Amino acid sequence: MTSFDVRGASAANCNFTKFRSALLASAIAFALPSAAFAQDGAGQDEGEAAEDVIVVTGEISRTIESSLAAKRNLDVIGDAIVGDDIGDLPDLSVAETLERIVGVTSDRFKGGASELSIRGLGAFLGASFLNGREISSGSDGRDVNFGQFPSELVNGAVIYKSQQASFVEGGVSGIIELQTLKPLEYGKRRIQIQALGGFSEYEDRVTDGDPFNYRLTASYVDQFQLGDGELGIAIGGQLRRDTAPEDIYTSSSTYRPCNTIEGIDRSNNCTFSTDADGNPDGASDTYFISNQYIFRAQATEADRDAVMATIQMAPTSNFQITLDGQYSFRDDIEERANLVIADGRRDIAPIEISPTGALLAHSGETRLENQSVWRQRTEEYIGVGANIEWSTGPLTLAADFSYSQTQRRQDELDMRIRTNSRVFFELDSRGLQVPNLTLTDVSAVEENTGLAFDLNNHDIYTNGARARRRLENVDDGIFGARFDATYETDGSFFRSFQAGFRFADRQRIQDDGIDQTLSLVAGYDDAGAIAARNDTFLVDDLFEGADGTNVQGLSFATWDPIALFAALTGSADAGLPAAGISTLSSQDTDVTEKTYAGYVQANFDTTMFNVPARGNFGLRGIRTEVTSLGISSALETAPGPSPDTITITEVGDPIVNVEQNKFWNWLPSANLILELSDDKLLRFAAYRAIARPDAFSLSGALTFDDEADLGDLGSIVDAAGNPFLEPLSSWNADVSFEWYASRTSSLSVALYAKQLATGVETDVTPLTIVVDGAPQDVLVGRSVNSDDKSHLLGFEIAAQHKFDFGLGFQASYNFADSDFEFEDPVVVSGLALADFTDPANVVGFSKHTGNATVFYERGAFNARLAYKIRSGYFKPFRNGSNRFTRAQDFLDFSAGFDITDNIQLRAQVLNILDEPNIFSRPTLDGVAQADFSGRRYFLGVRGRF
């Protein structure tokens, strides 16, 4: 038996070593003057201008002071982070900034923070707004990628953890509201320019890659006389040229239960065997197997442009018009090189199975598949809004109109070729982030090709050539209009009364079935394809960050994907739909959601229990109308590229099926704030809230698993969603104690309880599809509402303080416990995975979240070290089998030095611990995917005038 070491040669990262040394020298240079400042602490403190007047100095301190003041003035339980000036938020995106708020955690994507969760609950249970308006999204759900908003252009954010009737509905865990600067309230002229250069460790390993990147930001704020009134403008823009390389190990999204031991040369795919009574009678305990296992190298380009502007007009003292707009454009290009265990289920012999069924180590027989992929994704966001406010005497009337749209376009070229013969392998993930891969016998390939086995030799791949083009278009648009009235009273109890109405129309269209396997005009042995061969591997030292695995340094033959696609298909445009040709397919999502909401709210200010008290109570009612268009089509099957497999094609004219659902939600709320003393508040809140399902979950479409060749139709077809799925609702009770010891010191403790009144379970139903001219029943799983109730209990604690000598800290911790159950929705080959697995918890739920920041600020120097933790959580991908993200911890560093009053140097290091994303599926203890993105370094200068 022949054994082959899959590791290839790795190159030294000289550029990184030099840059890291330079960065260390810079840090030492920063530290020396800071130590001097620390020693110079005798005499009057710099913050004391007079005996009774404290002037808070320093960028970090001013931000803490502004944030605590905003938090204290909230009428609900919440938190805030507000920059005292434009650009005071030091992070690369708003997502990194918001992670410093107690209970707020992010979902990391390509090394940076993106979607945000509140109190350890997933983004699905929260709602995100910009200036009080919904934000459209290019992701599969309602999750907002906060990475599209540069922190330099956002003035602050408020996290509402309890609710009141006047808030737009949609957040069980809470509401995140970004706030752009209003120039008249800002009240001064400001011109700011910032240039930031970056270095990416992982990009330094990419062949012909450029590890250096940059971002340029500029903003201008000013005010002018407008007759007898005022006019204010604020405009800012950012250009960002970046990369986001990753080393990735992943598997097919389709997992299935097996209990057979096939062994060498059985030429069988593992199955789940039962006796005549339906009892398992396989030779093995039940285990879960993927259809494919993939080792991926990537080269990337990532461009980001953003513009934000506000015009504020106050022609008179009682009339104001505010116009604002935001625009961002993202262009991401990925070049992927995949080495694939293509026959994931063939001749499987388990070596170790976990108690939950995760296949920790096994052997098998497979062809090795080499995939060349090029993918470009563009995402364009535009948001515009107009707000009009008029007051006369005690009455204030306001109207707000907004439109938000995200358009995402994706073009993917996907080529593959395989070894003609199979090899024997072992895959072992025990104790590893990326499994060991050992090829135990490659002799069949050597005999077939007459070549010594070498993964880097293009000529060992001779079978199953294929070229595909996949296109995906997403359009998400939201129109909103709201009208609010506030009446101020002179009463001793009620301070004011509010009432309002809101209409929103959201439509999401996802054209997801533009997928063509193209006829080849040439093979991989054609001159054009040979010319597309790469002489070097895509990256040096693949999986460098995955300690212990034997695939560190893995390399294999690669091609230039664009040149290869043109050579195989005859044209770089092959597969693009012709003008006027419908691209409707059964995989498309078209969901329209209209909401009509009205509310009444009373605000009071009085005395209770001999202490000042304020708060509000009210009721919000919402009618929701959902229209989901599902496309049906007949299917045609054909033999697949390997024995006992099939491929499917949609044929005939598509038929549009319309499914509608209508329902009401009533959301009462009450908030009470007791001012126990000048610096202590006790808050109470009780309210009902809802979290709407993602649009994809409301789809009437089908999904096809096309990542592998599967043996039966039931393995391929599944339901994308359920148009009759209603929001998850909850009753909530919160109590919070807040102590504001000084302008930059505070302590807060909060307890909260939620009763989730609508559960989710999997309903297994037959679906009739016309296949090869005859109807055929396929079992599919759909998520449906249940009458089950679950509970969530939690607490959070936060503290921050700055000492007189410049050192300070911020720390917070959130704990939550829930008995919610989300069953695995997948039914594969008639087998419901929910029958074999434990249910997941709430989407995005983490039992433990926390962050700790240590900062030093003295004179011209400031530095901050931020540490963030998050325990494991459930992160589904569309309607695939349940997927879980393992616990994570991230460490980031930032520093600044004021050269003059107007010029500041800035430095940052992100992901110092080189923390990967590790996913498990469909149980908690297997490795289904591992993403490594590396550390990133930034150095720049900011000027304010």
Side-chain angles (χ1 to χ4, degrees), residues 3-177:
S3 181
F4 181 77
D5 188 350
V6 299
R7 289 175 292 179
S10 63
N13 294 322
C14 295
N15 289 340
F16 165 64
T17 302
K18 294 177 181 177
F19 186 85
R20 184 161 53 187
S21 299
L23 184 73
L24 180 59
S26 300
I28 294 172
F30 271 137
L32 290 176
S34 69
F37 289 131
Q39 295 295 324
D40 189 20
Q44 184 180 16
D45 183 69
E46 290 180 359
E48 297 182 4
E51 182 178 350
D52 297 322
V53 179
I54 298 177
V55 178
V56 176
T57 62
E59 181 178 294
I60 297 175
S61 300
R62 291 196 306 268
T63 297
I64 292 174
E65 180 189 25
S66 300
S67 302
L68 288 180
K71 172 185 173 73
R72 184 170 184 169
N73 290 327
L74 291 176
D75 289 331
V76 298
I77 297 173
D79 281 282
I81 185 163
V82 181
D84 183 66
D85 206 341
I86 303 172
D88 273 353
L89 306 181
D91 305 282
L92 295 182
S93 76
V94 173
E96 274 96 357
T97 298
L98 292 174
E99 277 188 302
R100 295 203 302 273
I101 293 178
V102 57
V104 176
T105 52
S106 75
D107 183 74
R108 291 271 171 157
F109 179 69
K110 292 186 178 296
S114 55
E115 290 88 3
L116 295 172
S117 301
I118 303 172
R119 285 178 164 172
L121 302 177
F124 157 69
L125 288 180
S128 302
F129 301 98
L130 179 63
N131 294 331
R133 305 166 186 143
E134 282 186 277
I135 307 171
S136 57
S137 172
S139 65
D140 286 323
R142 302 174 192 268
D143 308 341
V144 173
N145 184 349
F146 285 93
Q148 67 185 325
F149 299 110
S151 63
E152 298 94 331
L153 302 180
V154 174
N155 194 48
V158 179
I159 310 297
Y160 301 107
K161 297 179 180 178
S162 68
Q163 298 193 17
Q164 60 188 32
S166 60
F167 287 171
V168 178
E169 72 283 348
V172 166
S173 62
I175 294 172
I176 299 174
E177 182 181 357

Side-chain angles (χ1 to χ4, degrees), residues 72 674-682 737-743 745-748:
R72 184 170 184 169
L674 300 177
E675 298 185 13
L676 304 180
S677 65
D678 290 341
D679 59 356
K680 296 180 180 66
L681 299 181
L682 184 61
F737 171 76
E738 300 163 8
W739 175 29
Y740 298 90
S742 73
R743 294 187 180 187
S745 299
S746 70
L747 173 67
S748 62

Side-chain angles (χ1 to χ4, degrees), residues 510-513 585-591 628-633 650 655 657 659 695-704 717-723 767 769 780-782 878-879:
Q510 185 160 334
D511 195 347
D512 201 21
S585 77
S586 57
Q587 300 182 71
D588 294 349
T589 296
D590 188 340
V591 175
S628 181
L629 306 185
I631 312 300
S632 63
S633 176
E650 297 179 46
I655 302 171
N657 307 304
E659 296 181 277
F696 195 85
S697 299
L698 300 173
S699 173
L702 301 177
T703 61
F704 299 145
V717 181
D718 207 349
N722 181 5
L767 176 70
I769 302 175
V780 299
R782 298 178 100 177
R878 297 188 175 178
N879 210 43

Side-chain angles (χ1 to χ4, degrees), residues 176-464:
I176 299 174
E177 182 181 357
L178 299 185
Q179 298 176 342
T180 57
L181 182 142
K182 291 186 176 181
L184 292 183
E185 280 80 347
Y186 186 66
K188 57 185 175 182
R189 175 185 294 178
R190 173 71 80 192
I191 297 174
Q192 177 172 288
I193 301 173
Q194 178 167 284
L196 203 64
F199 177 87
S200 167
E201 283 186 359
Y202 274 39
E203 182 65 22
D204 195 38
R205 299 186 294 109
V206 175
T207 301
D208 298 326
D210 184 358
F212 298 99
N213 54 78
Y214 69 88
R215 55 194 294 157
L216 304 174
T217 309
S219 61
Y220 170 65
V221 184
D222 210 345
Q223 301 81 32
F224 307 92
Q225 285 298 119
L226 182 65
D228 294 331
E230 293 180 287
L231 170 68
I233 62 171
I235 184 169
Q238 183 175 92
L239 298 177
R240 178 177 172 184
R241 300 296 177 261
D242 206 348
T243 58
E246 289 183 298
D247 296 345
I248 297 176
Y249 162 76
T250 188
S251 53
S252 165
S253 60
T254 298
Y255 275 73
R256 70 184 63 221
C258 289
N259 62 4
T260 57
I261 301 175
E262 302 301 327
I264 294 175
D265 290 334
R266 292 287 300 275
S267 301
N268 289 328
N269 287 329
C270 69
T271 62
F272 188 77
S273 177
T274 60
D275 59 22
D277 297 325
N279 299 312
D281 65 352
S284 167
D285 292 335
T286 301
Y287 57 90
F288 296 98
I289 190 78
S290 173
N291 292 310
Q292 291 188 336
Y293 299 93
I294 304 165
F295 298 86
R296 176 178 299 161
Q298 280 193 161
T300 65
E301 296 178 26
D303 295 345
R304 306 281 190 272
D305 299 328
V307 177
M308 305 180 79
T310 301
I311 299 175
Q312 192 176 12
M313 296 174 285
T316 64
S317 61
N318 65 339
F319 182 63
Q320 184 170 278
I321 300 174
T322 304
L323 307 174
D324 62 84
Q326 308 82 36
Y327 173 82
S328 69
F329 181 79
R330 304 166 59 197
D331 186 1
D332 293 288
I333 295 176
E334 290 182 358
E335 180 183 345
R336 299 176 175 178
N338 296 335
L339 181 69
V340 185
I341 306 298
D343 307 302
R345 296 168 51 217
R346 184 183 177 91
D347 288 349
I348 297 302
I351 297 174
E352 182 173 340
I353 303 170
S354 81
T356 66
L359 190 55
L360 303 179
H362 68 279
S363 63
E365 182 183 6
T366 185
R367 287 164 301 178
L368 294 174
E369 184 170 292
N370 192 307
Q371 296 176 351
S372 303
V373 180
W374 181 88
R375 189 180 82 171
Q376 181 174 25
R377 173 184 288 179
T378 62
E379 186 170 306
E380 188 174 37
Y381 166 82
I382 184 170
V384 293
N387 184 275
I388 303 170
E389 186 174 301
W390 174 75
S391 61
T392 175
L395 179 64
T396 299
L397 300 177
D400 191 274
F401 304 91
S402 63
Y403 181 72
S404 173
Q405 183 186 63
T406 299
Q407 291 185 327
R408 188 177 79 185
R409 301 292 181 263
Q410 182 170 298
D411 186 2
E412 181 176 294
L413 312 179
D414 182 355
M415 286 75 61
R416 77 163 188 203
I417 191 168
R418 296 167 162 173
T419 58
N420 187 52
S421 301
R422 290 182 168 88
V423 301
F424 296 102
F425 71 93
E426 288 185 0
L427 204 64
D428 188 345
S429 63
R430 290 174 292 188
L432 298 172
Q433 296 172 327
V434 175
N436 284 328
L437 172 63
T438 304
L439 305 181
T440 56
D441 190 345
V442 298
S443 58
V445 174
E446 292 179 327
E447 292 171 3
N448 179 258
T449 61
L451 300 170
F453 187 86
D454 182 359
L455 288 173
N456 294 285
N457 187 345
H458 297 77
D459 292 324
I460 71 167
Y461 308 96
T462 59
N463 175 265

